[in-house]
Amino acid sequence: MTTNFKTGFVAQTITTADGLTLHARDYGSAHGDALPVICLPGLTRNSRDFHQLAMILSNDPRPPRRVIALDYRGRGQSDWDHNKTNYNIAVEAQDVLALCETLGIHRAIFIGTSRGGLILHLIAVMKPELLAGVVLNDVGPVLEVEGLRHIQNYLGHARAPHDWDDAAAILQELHGKAFPALGTDDWREMAEALYRRDGDRIVSDFDPAIAEAMIAADLTKPLPDMWAQFEAMRLVPLLVVRGENSTLLSEETVGEMVKRHPNSGGLIAAGQGHAPLLHVDGVGEHVVQFVNACG
């Protein structure tokens, strides 16, 4: 399969155990020697979130790497699931394993943003030998209720954009205070990652049932932590990225993660909230250095 040099990637599809077709972007698929990188997005996000970072990694001469970014079921170009209860991290972890099996990947470095990082906690238990290194982007074993309420709020009150400029403006209105590091182009790129064109409309690029389930979640009840699953990562090199203004991942949790993990480090994404863009303001270079140190 030949890389599309205009986009930098080729499209891959896999079939899940329950018959859905999932889409993934495959950058630098000809780079066979170095360990590949697999990127897992957040709750309502998709593979487009990782385009800039994937281009950096797949074109880096130290060495260039194959980078695969997945659209979970119900997001991006992947099929929506008729059984809405399947939008959970256990099913999505199985989908990630199916992706690896289909593409013949037996070991990789994983980057998990938000929900993607929760999925990696499960994979660390389910198939630890798959993990050669892990980047957890603004997520850990403990999630702060304040951050979850913020997600509920913007999912529940987001208006439909009139055009692409309006889509970027909506995102800046919702998140601008937490992301002073972002410029006009960054907001536009974020809009083009989160939304898609549907005829003459600009719409969110995910199954609305995913947002509805999050909005309906009862955050008055104690949240279970994932420290037991986190312990399964102790033998895997780990980089924890936290947005400087994040309300989802606390400084205390990051400190405890680094304390418990013998081969880990923390990185602050200055001027960013939840979840940081990994290619902005030098964060990408730190991620590249970590990836290269993993093999």
Coordinates of all heavy atoms in Angstrom, one line a residue, residues 161-256:
P161 N -22.3 24.9 14.7 CA -21.7 26.0 14.1 C -22.3 26.4 12.7 O -22.8 25.5 12.0 CB -20.2 25.5 13.9 CG -20.3 24.1 13.9 CD -21.5 23.7 14.8
H162 N -22.2 27.6 12.3 CA -22.7 28.0 11.0 C -21.7 27.7 9.9 O -22.1 27.4 8.7 CB -23.0 29.5 11.0 CG -23.9 30.0 12.1 ND1 -25.2 29.5 12.2 CD2 -23.7 30.9 13.1 CE1 -25.8 30.1 13.3 NE2 -24.9 30.9 13.8
D163 N -20.4 27.8 10.2 CA -19.4 27.5 9.2 C -18.1 27.2 9.9 O -18.1 27.1 11.2 CB -19.2 28.7 8.2 CG -18.9 30.0 9.0 OD1 -18.3 30.0 10.1 OD2 -19.3 31.1 8.5
W164 N -17.0 27.0 9.2 CA -15.8 26.6 9.9 C -15.2 27.6 10.8 O -14.6 27.3 11.8 CB -14.7 26.2 8.8 CG -15.1 24.8 8.2 CD1 -15.4 24.6 6.9 CD2 -15.1 23.5 8.8 NE1 -15.7 23.3 6.7 CE2 -15.4 22.6 7.8 CE3 -14.8 23.1 10.1 CZ2 -15.5 21.2 8.1 CZ3 -14.8 21.8 10.4 CH2 -15.2 20.8 9.4
D165 N -15.3 28.9 10.4 CA -14.8 30.0 11.3 C -15.6 30.0 12.6 O -15.1 30.2 13.7 CB -14.9 31.3 10.6 CG -13.9 31.5 9.5 OD1 -12.9 30.8 9.5 OD2 -14.1 32.3 8.6
D166 N -16.9 29.8 12.5 CA -17.8 29.7 13.6 C -17.5 28.5 14.5 O -17.5 28.6 15.7 CB -19.3 29.7 13.2 CG -20.2 29.9 14.4 OD1 -19.9 30.7 15.3 OD2 -21.3 29.3 14.4
A167 N -17.1 27.4 13.9 CA -16.7 26.2 14.6 C -15.5 26.5 15.5 O -15.4 26.1 16.7 CB -16.5 25.0 13.7
A168 N -14.5 27.1 14.9 CA -13.3 27.5 15.6 C -13.6 28.4 16.7 O -13.1 28.3 17.9 CB -12.3 28.1 14.7
A169 N -14.5 29.4 16.5 CA -14.9 30.4 17.5 C -15.6 29.7 18.7 O -15.4 30.1 19.8 CB -15.8 31.4 16.9
I170 N -16.5 28.7 18.4 CA -17.2 28.0 19.5 C -16.2 27.3 20.4 O -16.3 27.4 21.6 CB -18.1 27.0 18.9 CG1 -19.3 27.7 18.2 CG2 -18.6 26.0 19.9 CD1 -20.2 26.8 17.4
L171 N -15.2 26.6 19.8 CA -14.2 25.9 20.6 C -13.4 26.9 21.4 O -13.1 26.6 22.6 CB -13.3 25.1 19.7 CG -13.9 23.9 19.0 CD1 -13.0 23.3 18.0 CD2 -14.4 22.9 20.0
Q172 N -13.1 28.1 20.8 CA -12.3 29.1 21.6 C -13.1 29.6 22.7 O -12.6 29.9 23.8 CB -11.8 30.2 20.7 CG -10.8 31.1 21.3 CD -10.1 32.0 20.3 OE1 -10.4 32.0 19.2 NE2 -9.1 32.7 20.8
E173 N -14.4 29.8 22.5 CA -15.3 30.3 23.6 C -15.4 29.3 24.7 O -15.4 29.7 25.9 CB -16.7 30.5 23.0 CG -16.9 31.7 22.1 CD -18.2 31.7 21.3 OE1 -19.1 30.9 21.7 OE2 -18.4 32.5 20.4
L174 N -15.4 28.0 24.4 CA -15.6 27.0 25.4 C -14.3 26.7 26.2 O -14.3 26.5 27.4 CB -16.0 25.6 24.7 CG -17.4 25.6 24.2 CD1 -17.6 24.3 23.4 CD2 -18.4 25.6 25.3
H175 N -13.1 26.8 25.5 CA -11.9 26.3 26.0 C -10.8 27.4 26.1 O -9.7 27.1 26.6 CB -11.4 25.1 25.2 CG -12.4 24.0 25.1 ND1 -12.9 23.3 26.1 CD2 -13.0 23.5 23.9 CE1 -13.8 22.4 25.6 NE2 -13.8 22.5 24.3
G176 N -11.0 28.6 25.6 CA -10.0 29.6 25.4 C -9.3 29.9 26.7 O -8.0 30.1 26.7
K177 N -10.0 30.0 27.8 CA -9.3 30.4 29.1 C -8.3 29.4 29.5 O -7.3 29.8 30.1 CB -10.4 30.6 30.1 CG -11.3 31.8 30.0 CD -12.2 32.0 31.1 CE -13.1 33.2 31.0 NZ -14.0 33.4 32.1
A178 N -8.5 28.1 29.2 CA -7.6 27.1 29.6 C -6.5 26.9 28.6 O -5.5 26.2 28.9 CB -8.3 25.8 29.8
F179 N -6.6 27.5 27.4 CA -5.6 27.3 26.3 C -5.1 28.6 25.8 O -5.1 28.8 24.6 CB -6.3 26.5 25.2 CG -6.5 25.0 25.5 CD1 -7.6 24.6 26.1 CD2 -5.5 24.1 25.1 CE1 -7.8 23.2 26.4 CE2 -5.7 22.7 25.3 CZ -6.8 22.3 26.0
P180 N -4.4 29.4 26.6 CA -3.9 30.6 26.0 C -2.7 30.4 25.1 O -2.3 31.3 24.3 CB -3.4 31.4 27.3 CG -3.2 30.3 28.3 CD -4.3 29.3 28.1
A181 N -2.2 29.2 25.1 CA -1.0 28.9 24.2 C -1.5 28.7 22.7 O -0.6 28.8 21.8 CB -0.3 27.6 24.6
L182 N -2.8 28.6 22.5 CA -3.2 28.3 21.1 C -3.4 29.6 20.4 O -3.9 30.6 20.9 CB -4.5 27.5 21.1 CG -4.5 26.1 21.9 CD1 -5.7 25.3 21.5 CD2 -3.2 25.3 21.5
G183 N -3.1 29.5 19.1 CA -3.3 30.6 18.2 C -4.5 30.4 17.2 O -5.1 29.3 17.3
T184 N -4.8 31.3 16.3 CA -5.9 31.2 15.4 C -5.9 29.9 14.6 O -6.9 29.2 14.5 CB -5.9 32.4 14.5 OG1 -6.0 33.6 15.3 CG2 -7.1 32.3 13.5
D185 N -4.7 29.6 14.1 CA -4.5 28.3 13.3 C -4.8 27.1 14.1 O -5.4 26.1 13.6 CB -3.2 28.3 12.6 CG -2.9 29.3 11.6 OD1 -3.9 29.9 11.1 OD2 -1.8 29.5 11.2
D186 N -4.4 27.1 15.4 CA -4.6 25.9 16.2 C -6.1 25.7 16.4 O -6.6 24.5 16.4 CB -4.0 26.1 17.6 CG -2.4 26.3 17.5 OD1 -1.8 25.5 16.7 OD2 -1.9 27.2 18.1
W187 N -6.9 26.8 16.7 CA -8.3 26.6 16.9 C -9.0 26.1 15.6 O -9.9 25.3 15.7 CB -9.0 27.9 17.3 CG -8.5 28.3 18.7 CD1 -7.7 29.4 19.0 CD2 -8.9 27.7 19.9 NE1 -7.5 29.5 20.4 CE2 -8.2 28.4 21.0 CE3 -9.6 26.6 20.3 CZ2 -8.3 28.1 22.3 CZ3 -9.7 26.2 21.6 CH2 -9.1 27.0 22.6
R188 N -8.5 26.6 14.5 CA -9.1 26.1 13.2 C -8.8 24.6 13.0 O -9.7 23.9 12.6 CB -8.6 27.0 12.0 CG -9.1 26.5 10.7 CD -10.6 26.6 10.5 NE -11.1 26.2 9.2 CZ -11.6 27.0 8.3 NH1 -11.7 28.3 8.5 NH2 -12.0 26.5 7.1
E189 N -7.6 24.2 13.3 CA -7.2 22.8 13.1 C -8.0 22.0 14.1 O -8.4 20.9 13.7 CB -5.7 22.7 13.4 CG -4.8 23.2 12.3 CD -3.3 23.1 12.6 OE1 -3.0 22.8 13.8 OE2 -2.5 23.5 11.7
M190 N -8.2 22.5 15.3 CA -9.0 21.7 16.3 C -10.5 21.5 15.8 O -11.1 20.5 15.9 CB -9.0 22.4 17.6 CG -9.7 21.6 18.7 SD -9.9 22.4 20.3 CE -8.2 22.7 20.8
A191 N -11.0 22.6 15.2 CA -12.4 22.5 14.6 C -12.4 21.5 13.5 O -13.4 20.7 13.4 CB -12.8 23.9 14.1
E192 N -11.5 21.5 12.6 CA -11.5 20.6 11.5 C -11.3 19.1 12.0 O -11.6 18.2 11.2 CB -10.4 21.0 10.5 CG -10.8 22.3 9.8 CD -9.7 22.8 8.9 OE1 -8.5 22.2 8.9 OE2 -9.9 23.8 8.1
A193 N -10.7 18.9 13.2 CA -10.6 17.6 13.7 C -11.8 17.1 14.4 O -12.2 15.9 14.3 CB -9.4 17.6 14.7
L194 N -12.5 18.0 15.0 CA -13.7 17.6 15.8 C -15.0 17.6 15.0 O -15.9 16.7 15.3 CB -13.9 18.6 17.0 CG -15.1 18.3 17.9 CD1 -15.0 17.0 18.5 CD2 -15.2 19.4 19.0
Y195 N -15.1 18.4 14.0 CA -16.3 18.5 13.2 C -16.1 18.0 11.8 O -15.0 17.7 11.3 CB -16.8 20.0 13.0 CG -17.1 20.7 14.3 CD1 -16.2 21.5 15.0 CD2 -18.4 20.6 14.9 CE1 -16.6 22.1 16.2 CE2 -18.8 21.2 16.0 CZ -17.8 22.0 16.7 OH -18.2 22.6 17.9
R196 N -17.2 17.7 11.1 CA -17.2 17.3 9.7 C -18.3 18.0 9.0 O -19.3 18.5 9.6 CB -17.4 15.8 9.6 CG -18.7 15.2 10.1 CD -18.8 13.7 9.9 NE -19.9 13.2 10.6 CZ -21.2 13.2 10.1 NH1 -21.5 13.6 8.9 NH2 -22.2 12.6 10.9
R197 N -18.2 18.0 7.7 CA -19.3 18.6 6.8 C -20.3 17.5 6.5 O -20.0 16.4 6.1 CB -18.7 19.2 5.6 CG -19.8 19.9 4.7 CD -19.2 20.6 3.5 NE -18.5 21.8 4.0 CZ -19.1 23.0 4.3 NH1 -20.4 23.1 4.3 NH2 -18.4 24.0 4.7
D198 N -21.6 17.8 6.7 CA -22.7 16.9 6.4 C -23.7 17.7 5.5 O -24.5 18.5 6.0 CB -23.4 16.5 7.7 CG -24.5 15.5 7.4 OD1 -24.6 15.0 6.3 OD2 -25.4 15.3 8.3
G199 N -23.5 17.6 4.2 CA -24.3 18.4 3.3 C -23.9 19.9 3.4 O -22.7 20.3 3.3
D200 N -24.8 20.7 3.8 CA -24.5 22.1 4.0 C -24.3 22.5 5.5 O -24.3 23.7 5.8 CB -25.6 23.0 3.4 CG -27.0 22.8 4.0 OD1 -27.1 21.8 4.8 OD2 -27.9 23.5 3.6
R201 N -24.2 21.5 6.3 CA -24.0 21.7 7.8 C -22.6 21.3 8.2 O -22.0 20.4 7.6 CB -25.1 20.9 8.6 CG -26.5 21.3 8.2 CD -27.4 20.5 9.2 NE -27.2 19.0 9.1 CZ -27.4 18.2 10.1 NH1 -27.8 18.6 11.3 NH2 -27.1 16.9 9.9
I202 N -22.2 21.9 9.3 CA -21.0 21.5 10.0 C -21.5 20.8 11.3 O -22.2 21.4 12.1 CB -20.1 22.7 10.4 CG1 -19.7 23.5 9.1 CG2 -18.8 22.2 11.1 CD1 -18.9 22.7 8.1
V203 N -21.1 19.5 11.5 CA -21.6 18.8 12.6 C -20.5 18.1 13.4 O -19.4 17.9 12.8 CB -22.7 17.7 12.2 CG1 -23.9 18.4 11.5 CG2 -22.0 16.7 11.2
S204 N -20.7 17.8 14.6 CA -19.8 17.0 15.4 C -19.6 15.6 14.8 O -20.6 15.0 14.4 CB -20.2 16.9 16.9 OG -20.3 18.2 17.5
D205 N -18.3 15.2 14.8 CA -18.0 13.9 14.1 C -18.0 12.7 15.0 O -17.0 12.0 15.1 CB -16.7 14.1 13.4 CG -16.5 13.1 12.2 OD1 -17.5 12.4 11.9 OD2 -15.4 13.0 11.7
F206 N -19.1 12.5 15.7 CA -19.3 11.3 16.5 C -20.8 11.1 16.7 O -21.6 11.9 16.6 CB -18.6 11.5 17.9 CG -19.0 12.7 18.7 CD1 -20.1 12.7 19.5 CD2 -18.3 13.9 18.6 CE1 -20.5 13.8 20.2 CE2 -18.7 15.0 19.3 CZ -19.8 15.0 20.1
D207 N -21.1 9.8 17.1 CA -22.4 9.4 17.4 C -22.9 10.2 18.7 O -22.3 10.2 19.7 CB -22.4 7.9 17.7 CG -23.8 7.4 17.9 OD1 -24.8 8.1 18.2 OD2 -24.0 6.1 17.8
P208 N -24.1 10.9 18.5 CA -24.6 11.7 19.7 C -24.8 10.9 20.9 O -24.8 11.4 22.0 CB -25.9 12.3 19.1 CG -25.7 12.3 17.6 CD -24.9 11.1 17.3
A209 N -25.0 9.6 20.8 CA -25.2 8.7 21.9 C -24.0 8.8 22.9 O -24.2 8.5 24.1 CB -25.5 7.3 21.5
I210 N -22.8 9.0 22.3 CA -21.6 9.0 23.2 C -21.7 10.2 24.1 O -21.4 10.1 25.3 CB -20.4 9.1 22.3 CG1 -20.3 7.8 21.5 CG2 -19.1 9.3 23.2 CD1 -19.2 7.9 20.4
A211 N -22.1 11.4 23.6 CA -22.2 12.6 24.4 C -23.4 12.4 25.4 O -23.3 12.8 26.6 CB -22.4 13.8 23.5
E212 N -24.5 11.8 24.9 CA -25.6 11.7 25.8 C -25.3 10.8 27.0 O -25.8 11.1 28.2 CB -26.8 11.0 25.0 CG -27.4 12.0 23.9 CD -28.2 11.2 22.9 OE1 -28.4 10.0 23.1 OE2 -28.7 11.9 21.9
A213 N -24.5 9.8 26.8 CA -24.2 8.9 28.0 C -23.3 9.7 29.0 O -23.4 9.6 30.2 CB -23.4 7.7 27.5
M214 N -22.4 10.5 28.5 CA -21.5 11.3 29.3 C -22.3 12.3 30.1 O -22.2 12.6 31.3 CB -20.4 12.0 28.5 CG -19.5 12.8 29.4 SD -18.6 11.8 30.6 CE -17.9 13.1 31.7
I215 N -23.2 13.0 29.4 CA -24.1 14.0 30.0 C -24.9 13.4 31.1 O -25.2 14.1 32.2 CB -25.0 14.7 29.0 CG1 -24.1 15.5 28.0 CG2 -26.0 15.6 29.6 CD1 -24.8 15.9 26.7
A216 N -25.4 12.2 30.9 CA -26.3 11.5 31.9 C -25.5 10.9 33.1 O -26.2 10.5 34.1 CB -27.1 10.5 31.2
A217 N -24.2 10.9 33.0 CA -23.5 10.2 34.1 C -23.7 10.9 35.4 O -23.7 12.1 35.5 CB -22.0 10.2 33.7
D218 N -23.8 10.1 36.5 CA -24.1 10.7 37.8 C -22.7 10.9 38.5 O -22.1 9.9 39.0 CB -24.9 9.7 38.6 CG -25.2 10.2 40.0 OD1 -24.8 11.3 40.4 OD2 -25.9 9.5 40.8
L219 N -22.3 12.2 38.6 CA -21.0 12.5 39.1 C -21.0 12.8 40.6 O -20.0 13.2 41.2 CB -20.4 13.7 38.4 CG -20.1 13.4 36.9 CD1 -19.5 14.7 36.3 CD2 -19.3 12.2 36.6
T220 N -22.2 12.5 41.2 CA -22.3 12.7 42.7 C -21.8 11.4 43.4 O -21.5 11.5 44.6 CB -23.7 13.0 43.1 OG1 -24.6 11.8 42.8 CG2 -24.3 14.2 42.4
K221 N -21.7 10.3 42.7 CA -21.2 9.1 43.3 C -19.7 9.0 43.2 O -19.1 9.6 42.3 CB -21.8 7.9 42.5 CG -23.3 7.8 42.6 CD -23.8 6.6 41.8 CE -25.4 6.5 41.9 NZ -25.9 5.4 41.1
P222 N -19.0 8.4 44.2 CA -17.6 8.3 44.1 C -17.1 7.6 42.9 O -17.7 6.6 42.4 CB -17.3 7.4 45.4 CG -18.5 7.6 46.3 CD -19.6 7.7 45.4
L223 N -16.1 8.1 42.3 CA -15.5 7.5 41.1 C -14.5 6.4 41.4 O -13.6 6.6 42.2 CB -14.8 8.6 40.2 CG -15.7 9.8 39.8 CD1 -14.9 10.8 39.1 CD2 -16.8 9.3 38.8
P224 N -14.6 5.3 40.7 CA -13.6 4.2 40.9 C -12.3 4.7 40.4 O -12.2 5.4 39.3 CB -14.2 3.0 40.2 CG -15.0 3.6 39.1 CD -15.6 4.9 39.7
D225 N -11.2 4.3 41.0 CA -9.9 4.7 40.5 C -9.3 3.4 39.7 O -9.9 2.4 39.7 CB -8.9 5.1 41.6 CG -8.6 4.0 42.6 OD1 -8.1 2.9 42.1 OD2 -8.8 4.2 43.8
M226 N -8.2 3.6 39.0 CA -7.6 2.6 38.2 C -6.1 2.3 38.6 O -5.3 2.0 37.8 CB -7.7 2.9 36.7 CG -9.1 3.1 36.2 SD -9.2 3.3 34.4 CE -8.9 1.7 33.8
W227 N -5.9 2.5 39.9 CA -4.5 2.3 40.4 C -4.1 0.8 40.2 O -2.9 0.6 39.8 CB -4.4 2.6 41.9 CG -4.3 4.1 42.1 CD1 -5.2 4.8 42.8 CD2 -3.3 5.0 41.7 NE1 -4.8 6.2 42.9 CE2 -3.7 6.3 42.2 CE3 -2.1 4.9 40.9 CZ2 -2.9 7.4 41.9 CZ3 -1.4 6.0 40.7 CH2 -1.7 7.3 41.2
A228 N -5.0 -0.1 40.3 CA -4.6 -1.5 40.1 C -4.2 -1.8 38.7 O -3.2 -2.5 38.4 CB -5.8 -2.4 40.5
Q229 N -4.9 -1.2 37.7 CA -4.5 -1.3 36.3 C -3.2 -0.5 36.0 O -2.4 -1.0 35.2 CB -5.6 -0.8 35.4 CG -6.9 -1.6 35.5 CD -7.8 -1.3 36.6 OE1 -7.5 -0.5 37.5 NE2 -8.9 -2.0 36.7
F230 N -3.1 0.6 36.7 CA -1.8 1.4 36.5 C -0.6 0.6 36.9 O 0.5 0.7 36.3 CB -1.9 2.7 37.3 CG -0.7 3.6 37.2 CD1 -0.5 4.4 36.1 CD2 0.2 3.6 38.2 CE1 0.6 5.2 36.0 CE2 1.4 4.4 38.1 CZ 1.6 5.2 37.0
E231 N -0.7 -0.2 38.0 CA 0.4 -1.0 38.4 C 0.9 -1.9 37.3 O 2.1 -2.3 37.3 CB 0.0 -1.8 39.7 CG -0.2 -0.9 40.9 CD 1.1 -0.2 41.4 OE1 2.2 -0.9 41.3 OE2 1.0 0.9 41.9
A232 N 0.0 -2.3 36.4 CA 0.4 -3.2 35.3 C 1.4 -2.5 34.3 O 1.9 -3.2 33.5 CB -0.8 -3.8 34.6
M233 N 1.5 -1.2 34.4 CA 2.4 -0.5 33.5 C 3.8 -0.3 34.1 O 4.7 0.3 33.5 CB 1.8 0.9 33.2 CG 0.5 0.9 32.4 SD 0.1 2.7 32.0 CE -1.6 2.5 31.5
R234 N 4.1 -0.8 35.3 CA 5.3 -0.5 36.0 C 6.5 -0.9 35.3 O 7.6 -0.3 35.5 CB 5.3 -1.1 37.4 CG 4.3 -0.5 38.4 CD 4.4 -1.0 39.8 NE 5.5 -0.3 40.5 CZ 6.6 -0.9 40.8 NH1 6.9 -2.1 40.4 NH2 7.5 -0.2 41.5
L235 N 6.5 -1.9 34.4 CA 7.6 -2.3 33.7 C 7.8 -1.6 32.3 O 8.7 -2.0 31.5 CB 7.6 -3.8 33.5 CG 7.6 -4.7 34.8 CD1 7.6 -6.1 34.5 CD2 8.8 -4.3 35.6
V236 N 6.9 -0.7 32.0 CA 6.8 -0.1 30.7 C 7.2 1.4 30.8 O 6.7 2.1 31.7 CB 5.4 -0.1 30.1 CG1 5.4 0.6 28.7 CG2 4.9 -1.6 30.0
P237 N 8.2 1.9 30.0 CA 8.5 3.3 30.1 C 7.3 4.2 29.9 O 6.4 3.9 29.1 CB 9.5 3.5 28.9 CG 10.1 2.2 28.7 CD 9.0 1.2 29.0
L238 N 7.2 5.2 30.8 CA 5.9 6.0 30.9 C 6.3 7.5 30.9 O 7.1 8.0 31.6 CB 5.2 5.7 32.1 CG 3.9 6.5 32.4 CD1 2.8 6.3 31.4 CD2 3.4 6.2 33.9
L239 N 5.5 8.3 30.0 CA 5.6 9.7 30.1 C 4.2 10.2 30.4 O 3.2 9.9 29.6 CB 6.0 10.3 28.7 CG 6.0 11.8 28.6 CD1 7.0 12.5 29.6 CD2 6.3 12.2 27.2
V240 N 4.0 11.0 31.4 CA 2.7 11.6 31.8 C 2.7 13.1 31.4 O 3.5 13.8 31.9 CB 2.4 11.4 33.3 CG1 1.0 12.0 33.6 CG2 2.6 10.0 33.7
V241 N 1.9 13.4 30.4 CA 1.7 14.8 30.0 C 0.5 15.4 30.7 O -0.6 14.8 30.7 CB 1.6 15.0 28.5 CG1 1.4 16.4 28.1 CG2 2.7 14.3 27.8
R242 N 0.7 16.5 31.4 CA -0.5 17.2 32.0 C -0.6 18.6 31.5 O 0.4 19.4 31.4 CB -0.3 17.3 33.5 CG -1.4 18.0 34.2 CD -1.3 18.1 35.8 NE -2.4 18.8 36.3 CZ -2.5 20.1 36.5 NH1 -1.5 20.9 36.2 NH2 -3.6 20.6 37.0
G243 N -1.8 19.0 31.1 CA -2.0 20.4 30.7 C -1.9 21.3 31.9 O -2.4 21.0 33.0
E244 N -1.1 22.4 31.8 CA -0.9 23.3 32.9 C -2.2 23.7 33.6 O -2.3 23.8 34.8 CB -0.2 24.5 32.5 CG 0.1 25.5 33.5 CD 0.8 26.8 33.0 OE1 0.7 27.1 31.8 OE2 1.5 27.5 33.8
N245 N -3.3 23.9 32.8 CA -4.6 24.3 33.3 C -5.6 23.2 33.4 O -6.8 23.5 33.4 CB -5.1 25.5 32.5 CG -4.1 26.6 32.4 OD1 -3.5 27.0 33.4 ND2 -3.9 27.2 31.2
S246 N -5.2 22.0 33.4 CA -6.1 20.9 33.4 C -6.9 20.8 34.7 O -6.4 21.0 35.8 CB -5.4 19.5 33.2 OG -6.3 18.5 33.3
T247 N -8.2 20.5 34.5 CA -9.0 20.3 35.7 C -9.4 18.8 35.8 O -10.1 18.4 36.7 CB -10.3 21.1 35.7 OG1 -11.0 20.8 34.4 CG2 -10.0 22.6 35.7
L248 N -8.9 18.0 34.9 CA -9.2 16.5 34.9 C -8.1 15.7 35.6 O -8.4 14.8 36.3 CB -9.4 16.0 33.5 CG -10.0 14.6 33.4 CD1 -11.5 14.6 33.8 CD2 -9.8 14.0 32.0
L249 N -6.9 16.1 35.4 CA -5.7 15.4 36.0 C -5.0 16.3 36.9 O -4.5 17.4 36.5 CB -4.8 14.9 34.9 CG -3.5 14.2 35.3 CD1 -3.9 12.9 36.0 CD2 -2.6 13.9 34.2
S250 N -5.0 16.0 38.2 CA -4.4 16.9 39.2 C -2.9 16.7 39.3 O -2.3 15.7 38.9 CB -5.0 16.7 40.5 OG -4.6 15.4 41.1
E251 N -2.2 17.8 39.8 CA -0.8 17.7 40.0 C -0.5 16.6 41.0 O 0.5 15.9 40.9 CB -0.3 19.0 40.6 CG -0.3 20.2 39.6 CD 0.2 21.5 40.2 OE1 1.4 21.5 40.5 OE2 -0.6 22.4 40.3
E252 N -1.4 16.4 42.0 CA -1.2 15.4 43.0 C -1.2 14.0 42.4 O -0.4 13.1 42.8 CB -2.3 15.5 44.1 CG -2.2 16.7 45.0 CD -2.6 18.0 44.3 OE1 -3.3 17.9 43.2 OE2 -2.3 19.1 44.8
T253 N -2.1 13.8 41.5 CA -2.2 12.4 40.9 C -0.9 12.2 40.0 O -0.4 11.1 40.1 CB -3.5 12.3 40.0 OG1 -4.6 12.4 40.8 CG2 -3.5 11.0 39.3
V254 N -0.5 13.2 39.3 CA 0.7 13.0 38.5 C 1.9 12.7 39.4 O 2.7 11.8 39.1 CB 1.0 14.3 37.7 CG1 2.4 14.1 37.0 CG2 0.0 14.5 36.6
G255 N 2.0 13.4 40.5 CA 3.1 13.1 41.5 C 3.1 11.7 42.0 O 4.1 11.1 42.1
E256 N 1.9 11.2 42.3 CA 1.7 9.9 42.8 C 2.1 8.8 41.7 O 2.7 7.8 42.0 CB 0.3 9.6 43.3 CG 0.1 8.3 44.0 CD 0.9 8.0 45.2 OE1 1.4 9.0 45.8 OE2 1.1 6.9 45.6

